[in-house]
Amino acid sequence: MFLFMKQHEFVPQVPYGTRDFLPREASQKRAVEGALAQLFANWGYDEVVTPTIEYLETMTVGVGNDLDQHMFKFFDKNNRILALRPDMTTPMARVAATRFKGSPSPMKLFYITNVFRYEQAQAGRQCEFYQAGVEIMGASEPAADAEVIALAVESMLKSGLQKFQIGLGQVDFINGIMEQSELSLVQRQQIKHAMVTRDLVGLGEILVKSGLSQSDQTLLKHIPLLHGREDMLKQAYSMVTNDKSRRALDNLANIYHLLENYGVSQYVDFDLGIIRDFEYYTGMVFEGYTPGLGFPICGGGRYDTMLNSFGMNCGATGFALGIERVLLALERQGIDGTQNCKGIYIGWNKENLVKAIKQADTLRDSGCSVELAVIPESCAQAKESQKSKGYEKLVYVE
């Protein structure tokens, strides 16, 4: 898109919901991504890189039409519908089911990449955004869930964040209540949507029209308010009688016990109102929040049925961390995550380019960050270049 100023003059613009990363931001982004890649590798995860574009039919396998309205879609030359990947869970499931069949289980994979989702753009929420995440495929035990939550905590710490909290929920808690109440599929979807968006007024209106008993309405309205520590789990246990909801609470208690052994339980609270906004979640779910952001900085959960849609019968769990959201949180919390890696600027006069090249090579071989001027400068000009470019030291060759 071009913004025309005068005839034959224009200012080129980037597409809606995209942005440029200028040197300082790009450096900080790269530092965070590098730290996360090393962290994931240290925990035994292997990196996978998938195509930016996928067939639309692939992206909707196991997730229905949840993301359809948010996808960037187009046709290839054979009139097949393609889409820019709106998340990484589905592509990772495709890779596991098609490229790793017969591999030792469980598989531990990670990615650091961009995804695309059409939504209202604002700070920390773009149409193109970057994520770092992990998936454990082939494990259905609480130990796998505890590991991804513990790794999510370590990821935020490694990114430089100091203040954050994870809310931990379980989708089967609410599923058990709604199955017991015999609500229709449409009513369940309406109630879940109201809970995902935290629309308590809308939730109340839906429940009034649902035909449920007053006690069931009161219970469902109370779910978004059920958050706290272990005593809250006991309270929730006494509020339900169905086996599915109680098993969900037992599952959360088991996961939390493992998180205590990881030494990260202080970062975790229970929040039974968290059910996430994708239908593929089947068990525990969680979201991470940090001061200064009005939306999650990370999120994930268990999705045991998605791989079945690709012909691979196994459980899976994982999480994704928003890179731009990390950078925005660091900025708003006054945490400088960048390191000044611009060490030495080398200037030279007309007769000494060869000497300056050798000097630069020697310093680079010793591990220094060095920029060599590409045009001759006076010493005063070199000092000005050093200052304006942000280098700590000047070496002038004359």
Side-chain angles (χ1 to χ4, degrees), residues 87-146:
D87 84 328
M88 281 300 295
T89 302
T90 304
M92 295 294 278
R94 175 190 58 75
V95 168
T98 59
R99 305 300 297 274
F100 290 109
K101 268 191 174 179
S103 297
S105 185
M107 291 172 287
K108 295 185 177 183
L109 307 174
F110 83 87
Y111 58 85
I112 300 176
T113 193
N114 56 341
V115 295
F116 304 83
R117 201 176 301 161
Y118 195 86
E119 57 185 354
Q120 188 69 39
Q122 56 181 290
R125 299 175 73 111
Q126 298 288 315
C127 295
E128 178 188 20
F129 52 99
Y130 292 80
Q131 289 185 333
V134 306
E135 313 289 347
I136 300 179
M137 298 175 177
S140 301
E141 295 75 20
D145 294 322

Side-chain angles (χ1 to χ4, degrees), residues 195-211:
M195 289 187 178
V196 166
T197 57
R198 300 283 177 164
D199 182 6
L200 300 185
V201 174
L203 175 62
E205 293 174 351
I206 294 167
L207 291 173
V208 167
K209 299 175 184 178
S210 67

Side-chain angles (χ1 to χ4, degrees), residues 122-177:
Q122 56 181 290
R125 299 175 73 111
Q126 298 288 315
C127 295
E128 178 188 20
F129 52 99
Y130 292 80
Q131 289 185 333
V134 306
E135 313 289 347
I136 300 179
M137 298 175 177
S140 301
E141 295 75 20
D145 294 322
E147 177 168 308
V148 298
I149 298 169
L151 186 49
V153 171
E154 294 297 335
S155 297
M156 287 186 277
L157 291 171
K158 184 64 71 172
S159 299
L161 293 172
Q162 299 166 3
K163 297 179 180 179
F164 59 86
Q165 202 69 25
I166 282 180
L168 177 59
Q170 232 282 5
V171 298
D172 271 349
F173 178 74
I174 183 174
N175 287 340
I177 295 172

Side-chain angles (χ1 to χ4, degrees), residues 197-259:
T197 57
R198 300 283 177 164
D199 182 6
L200 300 185
V201 174
L203 175 62
E205 293 174 351
I206 294 167
L207 291 173
V208 167
K209 299 175 184 178
S210 67
L212 291 174
S213 67
Q214 191 61 46
S215 60
D216 285 342
Q217 289 186 43
T218 300
L219 175 57
L220 285 167
K221 281 194 289 188
H222 198 60
I223 288 176
L225 306 178
L226 290 174
H227 50 80
R229 308 295 285 188
E230 291 173 284
D231 55 341
M232 187 279 296
L233 280 191
K234 296 177 182 178
Q235 176 192 355
Y237 203 92
S238 67
M239 296 170 64
V240 294
T241 57
N242 71 85
D243 290 338
K244 177 174 282 191
S245 295
R246 288 191 164 185
R247 284 196 303 269
L249 296 174
D250 290 337
N251 175 249
L252 290 180
N254 290 336
I255 292 171
Y256 188 81
H257 174 69
L258 293 171
L259 292 174

